[in-house]
Amino acid sequence: MSLRACLVLALLAGLAGLSLRVAVPVTPVDQDYRDVVAFYRAMPAGAGH
């Protein structure tokens, strides 16, 4: 595949990702997710290994 074709495919993939990011709304974070994040923040560093 030529360099030009790769560049065109990369630009198309980037534009597709950008258009999806604009078109699809971000899902709000629910309370269960916040609880999990708070739990892991409370753990000392390196305790998850």
Side-chain angles (χ1 to χ4, degrees), residues 7-17:
L7 181 61
V8 169
L9 285 174
L11 288 173
L12 288 175
L15 287 174

Side-chain angles (χ1 to χ4, degrees), residues 23-48:
V24 178
V26 176
T27 304
V29 177
D30 60 355
Q31 188 58 42
D32 291 335
Y33 180 79
R34 288 183 183 150
D35 291 341
V36 170
V37 170
F39 172 76
Y40 280 109
R41 278 193 184 146
M43 293 177 66

